[in-house]
Amino acid sequence: MMRELYTQVIMDHCQRPRNRGKLEDADLEEHLLNPLCGDEVVVYAAFDGDRVAEVRFSGRGCAISQASASMMTERLSGKSLKEAEAEIEMFKEQMVGKKEFPKLDDLAALKGVVKYPSRVKCASLAWSAFHEGLSKGGRGSEELAIPEE
Ligand code: ZN
């Protein structure tokens, strides 16, 4: 039953995770656990002004949690903080079936997860960690300015 979730794209991200590893002196560092599955993820980001200059992750857990974290680092790198928030919001809506997954994007490989609510937590873990990190303004930068439009 779970096999169909492990598409080639997901396995590829597991075997060759993008941006995996600790980021020294990160502006954002957030650790999150998914006790339901035993997944663990730490996301790191470096900001350049209001831009997400670099995103990395570390952790361990099921294929879906780690692949989704790897995809997230690619998706959020280079985005403005506002765009990153919007991407996270969009991803969460996709995971509950409210929005379509982008075609021609690795994220579409996670579409099958939507049918398994218990695995949605796995897929959302890194994204939730990033969101929490952003809402705290990153680590040790209390007055991080998110520009108004
Ligand atoms: Zn999991």
Side-chain angles (χ1 to χ4, degrees):
M1 167 182 125
M2 298 308 291
R3 179 156 298 190
E4 66 188 275
L5 295 182
Y6 297 87
T7 64
Q8 281 186 346
V9 173
I10 290 175
M11 291 320 292
D12 181 60
H13 274 274
C14 286
Q15 283 155 7
R16 300 186 304 115
R18 324 299 197 257
N19 306 303
R20 188 176 173 89
K22 189 171 164 40
L23 186 59
E24 297 296 335
D25 301 320
D27 296 308
L28 179 154
E29 180 175 337
E30 195 68 33
H31 183 195
L32 215 55
L33 291 168
N34 172 18
L36 287 176
C37 182
D39 306 318
E40 179 174 12
V41 73
V42 189
V43 296
Y44 310 90
F47 301 142
D48 178 13
D50 77 331
R51 218 147 260 287
V52 181
E54 193 171 358
V55 187
R56 290 201 207 167
F57 80 102
S58 64
R60 63 187 65 215
C62 69
I64 291 169
S65 68
Q66 303 303 302
S68 184
S70 171
M71 290 177 196
M72 182 195 74
T73 64
E74 292 196 311
R75 192 83 190 170
L76 300 187
S77 288
K79 297 281 195 299
S80 72
L81 297 184
K82 262 200 160 150
E83 287 164 344
E85 287 270 31
E87 288 280 347
I88 293 167
E89 193 56 39
M90 174 70 93
F91 180 78
K92 293 195 163 180
E93 298 203 336
Q94 284 157 352
M95 290 313 296
V96 294
K98 281 194 195 162
K99 290 265 162 63
E100 287 290 310
F101 279 86
K103 292 190 171 64
L104 305 176
D105 188 284
D106 285 359
L107 283 179
L110 294 170
K111 196 151 62 173
V113 177
V114 174
K115 286 183 285 178
Y116 304 96
S118 64
R119 310 311 297 276
V120 167
K121 277 215 178 242
C122 303
S124 305
L125 190 64
W127 301 74
S128 297
F130 201 98
H131 175 75
E132 281 197 21
L134 279 180
S135 67
K136 290 178 190 166
R139 185 179 63 177
S141 52
E142 297 293 312
E143 69 278 88
L144 175 79
I146 296 175
E148 318 245 304
E149 298 232 314

